[in-house]
Amino acid sequence: DAGVIQSPRHEVTEMGQEVTLRCKPISGHDYLFWYRQTMMRGLELLIYFNNNVPIDDSGMPEDRFSAKMPNASFSTLKIQPSEPRDSAVYFCASRFASGGAVTGELFFGEGSRLTVL
Amino acid sequence: GQSLEQPSEVTAVEGAIVQINCTYQTSGFYGLSWYQQHDGGAPTFLSYNGLDGLEETGRFSSFLSRSDSYGYLLLQELQMKDSASYFCAVDSNYQLIWGAGTKLIIKP
């Protein structure tokens, strides 16, 4: 069974450009999370969805960031316009947790390494 | 607020035992998880404690005391490949609250 799939793995862009990161969660998982990781700030939760509905987007840095989950098998994180301080590794993760089936396990994708020049 | 505290760095010798502690203060608690992350890689799940006590998985064990809001990860028979960052995370209302991570340095 394929794990969480993210694309692109690496993205180098110039300040002001739009960036779109993509994620395909594990089939059957009902929660999807977007994280950002940097040396300075560690692992930050940006937003998470339950059954395709955004539940908490309080971690989204500002209006330049937006995320969508149009269906159970696809999500995007968009940055427009991008800035150098957005440079980070962006992880998508998914889990199945409905009905109280909580085991603590999140399945992470390999991450998208973004560099904004 | 919600917070997890863990040491930023721990150094140990190959073949030895090391314990990484984690204390937490969160609203909502289902359990404590541990993740391993190698440089350049993604976090991968190691263990989960939903109840007090010790959980053992091979060379790794994890302990939880809910009354003390405390847990630890124990790594035995350390190998060089165990060099990585280790994160504790509290499962709270279906999302995870993360510690800042502990970098484990293993010396030959």
Side-chain angles (χ1 to χ4, degrees):
Chain A
D1 187 19
V4 175
I5 300 172
Q6 292 187 244
S7 65
R9 291 294 309 280
H10 300 275
E11 173 98 3
V12 180
T13 190
E14 293 188 347
M15 183 173 63
Q17 296 298 306
E18 178 179 295
V19 173
T20 299
L21 308 178
R22 298 172 178 80
C23 175
K24 176 179 170 55
I26 292 173
S27 177
H29 282 189
D30 54 356
Y31 282 81
L32 182 140
F33 303 81
W34 281 101
Y35 287 94
R36 177 172 71 175
Q37 188 174 40
T38 61
M39 289 293 293
M40 290 295 293
R41 301 175 68 88
L43 196 61
E44 302 174 275
L45 176 65
L46 300 176
I47 185 171
Y48 77 96
F49 296 82
N50 175 221
N51 291 324
N52 315 337
V53 177
I55 302 301
D56 184 353
D57 65 354
S58 60
M60 296 286 260
E62 48 198 272
D63 292 346
R64 297 185 297 107
F65 286 68
S66 62
K68 294 181 179 180
M69 191 165 185
N71 57 63
S73 59
F74 184 66
S75 177
T76 60
L77 178 68
K78 186 173 293 187
I79 309 172
Q80 166 64 18
S82 59
E83 297 182 3
R85 58 186 168 139
D86 301 331
S87 297
V89 180
Y90 291 81
F91 288 105
C92 175
S94 70
R95 75 185 302 189
F96 176 76
S98 293
V102 175
T103 65
E105 185 167 9
L106 244 60
F107 295 81
F108 282 79
E110 292 298 312
S112 294
R113 183 175 295 275
L114 173 65
T115 302
V116 183
L117 303 175
Chain B
Q2 306 196 90
S3 66
L4 283 81
E5 296 290 331
Q6 55 180 128
S8 59
E9 188 176 290
V10 171
T11 301
V13 178
E14 190 177 14
I17 299 172
V18 71
Q19 178 173 314
I20 300 173
N21 298 319
C22 175
T23 58
Y24 59 88
Q25 182 177 3
T26 61
S27 59
F29 180 88
Y30 289 109
L32 184 70
S33 300
W34 289 91
Y35 285 75
Q36 178 190 62
Q37 185 179 27
H38 287 100
D39 284 347
T44 56
F45 175 79
L46 288 177
S47 69
Y48 174 78
N49 293 74
L51 300 173
D52 290 351
L54 193 68
E55 293 285 339
E56 298 179 77
T57 308
R59 295 186 297 114
F60 294 0
S61 303
S62 58
F63 172 82
L64 174 66
S65 169
R66 288 175 296 172
S67 61
D68 295 322
S69 297
Y70 164 76
Y72 66 72
L73 178 69
L74 190 74
L75 297 83
Q76 303 182 72
E77 301 173 16
L78 284 172
Q79 302 175 9
M80 297 304 292
K81 67 178 181 178
D82 298 329
S83 296
S85 291
Y86 292 84
F87 294 85
C88 58
V90 165
D91 212 317
S92 173
N93 299 324
Y94 299 110
Q95 65 164 299
L96 268 65
I97 311 298
W98 295 82
T102 298
K103 186 175 180 64
L104 175 61
I105 299 170
I106 300 174
K107 297 185 175 181

